[in-house]
Amino acid sequence: MKRFIFYCLMALSLMMFACSNKTSTPVLTPHEGFVQVKGGKIWYRVWGTGEGVPIVMIHGGPGFTSYYLTPLADSLSKERTVIVFDQLGCGRSDQLTDTSLMNMQAHVDQVSALLKALKIETFDLYGHSFGTMLATDFYLQHPENIRSIVLASPCLRVANWISDADTLMMQLPPNVATVLQNFRKGDKQDSLELANALTLYYNSFYNRKQPLSPYVDSSLRLQSLQVYRHMWGPEEFVANGNLKDYNRMPDLSTIKVPVLFTTGQYDAARPSTVKSYQQLVKGAVFEEIPDAGHSTMTDHIEADLKVLRAFWKKL
């Protein structure tokens, strides 16, 4: 009897010791909220059951809002915890008029504030379009808790993006390409002719699936054009904002976590350019989403989800 009591006490002691030394990871329950950052409050939403390593998703733009990521987040949250947020100035976050906060460092700080507020430790980072620029810069400053990175339709050197836009324009009818190039030069254009040229350009390389998804429509309606124009420019193929010299190609070789690069078959982030990025990251994976433009998550969500799940499953 004494020996039995002794072994019971030993077992209890070992259990208490193990519990006291186990790192406490908070369970994230589904909810929405706001986090205070410099310049205002950013809106966020936690999806899912709180199981697994959470996915932190960063939307494009700058200033485009996270609405268009809803199809991805909704589907993935049935298996994982997913966190989305609207960057300051757009969507459900506070509006932003202070141009001193319209820069990359302020956006990196927003991500840091969100992770701190939610007490997120290990996580998978997903960025799309401008979100890949922000995800890359965040990793370069804060690599410690990131398990993996998805760079979807990436822009990692703005000069490449503009060069690719020239290539894409040449695939359109000559009169349309001329209108777009003249707009870039600042030449006056017939408003209807310009509107038609822009529609054809974006329908060919950005949102091929028509009519527009209501999620893309909501992002367009609640985007911050002030943030977009200050940081990027007037249109996707004209970059004259403070990101115009952005280039992280020299830093890609320093990434030490698994990376997945994705792009649409007809993406503004051209597959050949995205492959050139992938080749700079040791062990990185490249996947092309067929029949999709820049909005792979609305143009061909089934294929998009398939490559994402396959990548994360290997982790």
Side-chain angles (χ1 to χ4, degrees):
M1 185 65 180
K2 289 181 179 179
R3 182 175 293 180
F4 174 75
I5 294 173
F6 171 77
Y7 284 129
C8 287
L9 290 173
M10 284 290 291
L12 180 60
S13 297
L14 288 171
M15 289 173 63
M16 292 175 66
F17 178 80
C19 289
S20 65
N21 283 274
K22 185 178 180 180
T23 301
S24 175
T25 302
V27 176
L28 291 169
T29 56
H31 70 283
E32 298 181 24
F34 292 87
V35 172
Q36 182 68 50
V37 298
K38 187 174 182 180
K41 293 180 180 178
I42 56 172
W43 171 92
Y44 71 87
R45 180 178 178 183
V46 177
W47 302 49
T49 61
E51 298 179 357
V53 176
I55 305 167
V56 177
M57 307 190 83
I58 303 180
H59 66 75
F64 193 58
T65 92
S66 64
Y67 279 107
Y68 75 99
L69 295 177
T70 299
L72 282 184
D74 185 38
S75 183
L76 292 169
S77 67
K78 293 176 173 59
E79 312 145 17
R80 306 270 302 276
T81 298
V82 180
I83 297 102
V84 298
F85 74 102
D86 288 337
Q87 296 154 25
L88 192 62
C90 67
R92 291 145 288 193
S93 293
D94 286 348
Q95 296 303 297
L96 179 64
T97 57
D98 185 351
T99 56
S100 71
L101 297 176
M102 298 179 189
N103 56 65
M104 187 62 79
Q105 187 56 54
H107 280 70
V108 169
D109 294 342
Q110 290 175 38
V111 179
S112 295
L114 176 65
L115 295 172
K116 184 178 180 181
L118 294 178
K119 299 180 181 179
I120 298 173
E121 296 175 354
T122 303
F123 62 97
D124 293 322
L125 187 58
Y126 172 99
H128 174 256
S129 193
F130 164 73
T132 65
M133 304 166 77
L134 179 49
T136 301
D137 276 30
F138 183 82
Y139 171 84
L140 293 173
Q141 294 185 35
H142 307 285
E144 51 276 356
N145 294 323
I146 300 174
R147 185 178 72 155
S148 71
I149 306 174
V150 175
L151 298 176
S153 302
C155 175
L156 298 175
R157 181 172 181 262
V158 170
N160 288 354
W161 190 273
I162 299 305
S163 177
D164 282 349
D166 287 334
T167 300
L168 296 175
M169 285 181 195
M170 293 303 101
Q171 298 176 20
L172 301 175
N175 62 312
V176 173
T178 299
V179 170
L180 297 176
Q181 290 168 344
N182 287 341
F183 173 81
R184 177 189 286 172
K185 295 174 186 176
D187 295 345
K188 289 185 177 180
Q189 303 288 309
D190 176 82
S191 57
L192 180 58
E193 193 175 33
L194 176 59
N196 290 335
L198 289 172
T199 297
L200 182 58
Y201 182 80
Y202 288 117
N203 287 355
S204 299
F205 309 117
Y206 283 78
N207 300 288
R208 293 176 62 84
K209 191 173 183 179
Q210 298 293 322
L212 280 178
S213 158
Y215 302 113
V216 174
D217 187 63
S218 293
S219 284
L220 287 167
R221 185 168 52 86
L222 294 172
Q223 67 181 317
S224 171
L225 289 176
Q226 186 176 2
V227 173
Y228 178 78
R229 289 166 179 163
H230 188 81
M231 294 183 66
W232 183 265
E235 295 292 345
E236 285 291 286
F237 51 89
V238 184
N240 53 19
N242 58 31
L243 292 174
K244 64 181 183 297
D245 298 320
Y246 182 93
N247 178 19
R248 292 296 176 268
M249 291 186 70
D251 302 299
L252 294 181
S253 62
T254 68
I255 299 178
K256 304 303 181 185
V257 298
V259 179
L260 168 65
F261 288 88
T262 69
T263 187
Q265 182 180 356
Y266 305 103
D267 206 320
R270 296 177 64 234
S272 59
T273 299
V274 178
K275 281 184 180 179
S276 72
Y277 298 148
Q278 175 249 339
Q279 291 167 359
L280 295 175
V281 182
K282 185 177 180 180
V285 180
F286 169 85
E287 293 287 353
E288 182 177 309
I289 310 301
D291 302 320
H294 196 55
S295 297
T296 55
M297 67 292 300
T298 51
D299 278 352
H300 199 168
I301 187 171
E302 295 83 4
D304 205 3
L305 285 167
K306 183 178 179 179
V307 300
L308 291 173
R309 286 176 170 136
F311 172 68
W312 285 318
K313 185 176 181 180
K314 290 181 180 179
L315 300 180

